[in-house]
Every structure is written in C-alpha cells, then in structure tokens.
Amino acid sequence: MSMSRGRFITVEGGEGAGKTSNLTFIRAFLESAGKQVVFTREPGGTPLGEAIRELLLGHRHTGMADETELLLMFAARAEHLQEKILPALQAGSWVLCDRFTDASYAYQGGGRGISYQRIGMLEEFVQGNLRPDLTLLLDLPVETGLQRAGKRSDPDRFESETRDFFTKVRDTYLAIAREDPERVKVIDASPSLEQVQGQLQATLTRYMEKLDA
Ligand code: Z5A
C-alpha cells in the first residue's frame, strides 16, 4: 500500500481490562494529533458483523461448537475488512478497532483450545498479509479484571466463562506480546485510570514520533 495509507491500531485485553473506558481516551488523543479516526469493533463493525455479534454473545446458542464460534468470528472479520477497514485505511484514515485477530488466538485458541495453526490458516485466508500496525494490550491480573467486570449486570456468553478460561486468555495475549514486541505494547491496566491513560499517551506519542522520523 502507498505511504499515505492510514494506520491500523487495535486494542485488546481480558475481562474488565478497561477497554471501553480507555478507547474514548485513545480516540480523542489521536484526533487531537490531527488524525482522521474511524472507530470500530469486533466482532461487529458492519450491519452483518453486528448480527453475527448477537449470535456470538447472546445466550441463544450456548452450546455452539468451538469451530463454529471461530468461523463466525472470521466471517464477521471478512465483512469488516472488505466493507470498512480496508477502504478507510486506503482513504488515509487511522482505524481504531476494539479487538481483532489477537482475540481469536486468545479466546478461541488459548481459551477454547483450538490450535494456533488452524487460526493462522484463517488469518491468512481472510486477511492476506494485513496485520495491525500497533496493538495496545491492556493487561491485568484475572482476579482484578473479574472484580471490575463483576460490577456490570447481564454477563454475555464469554463473560460467563471460568477463571481458568480467562487465565489461558491472558497467558495467550502475553505470549503474543512476547513474540511480537514491535507491534504489541503491553499496558499495565491495574493502576488508576489516570495512570493507565498516562501509559497509553506515552506509547502513542513514541509510536507517532517513530513514524515521523
Ligand atoms: N471475542 C472472541 O472471543 N474472539 C474474537 O476474535 C473477538 C472477540 C474479536 C466481546 O468483546 C467478546 O468477544 C469478548 C471476546 C470475544 N468477550 N469477553 N469477555 P467486547 O470487547 O465487546 O467485550 P468485553 O471484553 O466485555 O469489553 P468491554 O465492555 O470493553 O469491557 P472492559 O474491557 O471490561 O472495560 P470497561 O467496561 O471499560 O471496564 C470494566 C469496569 O472497570 C468498569 O466499571 C470501569 O469503570 C472499571 N475500570 C476500568 N478501568 C479502571 C481502572 N484503571 N481502575 C479502576 N476501575 C476501572
């Protein structure tokens, strides 16, 4: 793609990591730096993707096969890339996405136990060589995250999982970050919101300085 292509930034994290609380901050920070930001989420981001999200998160299909879950994630992603993400990047916008393929490795791979190799095949098939330019991983101990998330009502199909599941999710995210430290920046999400946002600001500033250098 040309040099004027926008940047693709994803935000990841386990239960109660504070994605919602911090995404608004990240978006405002990028906009104040003069970037045109397209804000979106997975699963979802398009009308078809949001319909798939309802199937995935609702409790109507509690016994869904793990493979079905994975394929639905990638079906929503194919639509999202085609309809929203790629056109926005080509138009020079920065795309800020609440979760992306790292979540498939963490939840369907680590959590459900589907092999990373299989997930890699779908990644290749759906994305070709497109990967996020920068991923911000909000990390915190499972226990702290569950306590924070516990204050919300109506847990969705994933939020109803066990501690063991969320531990595997966290470990997988951290393993991805160790393997790809250039792309994935780990943000300690356990201190106050103000301190978390300080880390986010420092990481984004460094990232933009590097691009301009
Ligand atoms: N999923 C998947 O399995 N595979 C895939 O490929 C993809 C997704 C793409 C939906 O995602 C589910 O889809 C997700 C994984 C799966 N399942 N889960 N769980 P989602 O992103 O829409 O759902 P979520 O994980 O529940 O995200 P969320 O709503 O953004 O929640 P959050 O990260 O827990 O953030 P929060 O609501 O901002 O924070 C939780 C509470 O903590 C809230 O009361 C805040 O006020 C509080 N908080 C936040 N930060 C702080 C600090 N620093 N101190 C104290 N309290 C805080």
Side-chain angles (χ1 to χ4, degrees):
M1 275 185 218
S2 77
M3 287 304 285
S4 63
R5 170 188 172 275
R7 300 287 147 175
F8 183 25
I9 301 186
T10 61
V11 178
E12 300 280 356
E15 266 304 284
K19 282 188 303 95
T20 302
S21 314
N22 287 300
L23 274 159
T24 318
F25 173 83
I26 297 169
R27 181 184 188 169
F29 182 78
L30 292 174
E31 284 173 347
S32 73
K35 310 299 178 197
Q36 166 83 35
V37 180
V38 170
F39 179 55
T40 190
R41 69 170 178 182
E42 288 212 349
T46 64
L48 176 55
E50 291 294 326
I52 294 175
R53 180 184 178 92
E54 277 179 37
L55 294 174
L56 281 162
L57 266 56
H59 289 279
R60 232 175 109 203
H61 305 285
T62 306
M64 181 185 301
D66 295 346
E67 288 76 9
T68 310
E69 185 179 283
L70 177 69
L71 289 166
L72 285 174
M73 291 293 175
F74 273 97
R77 187 161 296 137
E79 184 74 8
H80 198 195
L81 281 164
Q82 209 63 258
E83 294 297 316
K84 196 165 184 179
I85 297 176
L86 292 174
L89 290 173
Q90 273 150 12
S93 295
W94 284 41
V95 174
L96 176 61
C97 191
D98 182 352
R99 296 196 190 279
F100 194 64
T101 303
D102 293 318
S104 300
Y105 282 101
Y107 286 80
Q108 284 66 53
R112 305 273 189 236
I114 298 180
S115 82
Y116 299 145
Q117 193 214 349
R118 283 193 162 184
I119 299 173
M121 281 162 58
L122 290 172
E123 183 178 36
E124 198 69 30
F125 176 63
V126 169
Q127 295 168 222
N129 57 16
L130 181 97
R131 300 290 179 275
D133 295 298
L134 174 71
T135 297
L136 300 163
L137 171 59
L138 296 169
D139 175 66
L140 84 175
V142 171
E143 206 54 49
T144 319
L146 289 175
Q147 271 167 17
R148 284 186 190 169
K151 295 184 186 138
R152 287 186 305 219
S153 53
D154 293 340
D156 66 34
R157 209 169 56 82
F158 289 97
E159 288 161 357
S160 311
E161 283 295 339
T162 61
R163 261 178 190 62
D164 181 45
F165 179 91
F166 291 119
T167 302
K168 290 183 195 152
V169 167
R170 182 187 188 203
D171 291 348
T172 308
Y173 270 136
L174 289 173
I176 295 171
R178 276 195 302 275
E179 266 171 40
D180 199 353
E182 262 305 296
R183 172 178 70 88
V184 185
K185 304 296 176 198
V186 182
I187 306 293
D188 178 5
S190 47
S192 71
L193 202 51
E194 210 179 22
Q195 285 170 296
V196 175
Q197 291 175 350
Q199 296 175 62
L200 287 168
Q201 182 160 339
T203 304
L204 287 166
T205 303
R206 265 197 306 276
Y207 177 72
M208 287 192 281
E209 281 171 357
K210 254 172 113 181
L211 284 184
D212 291 339

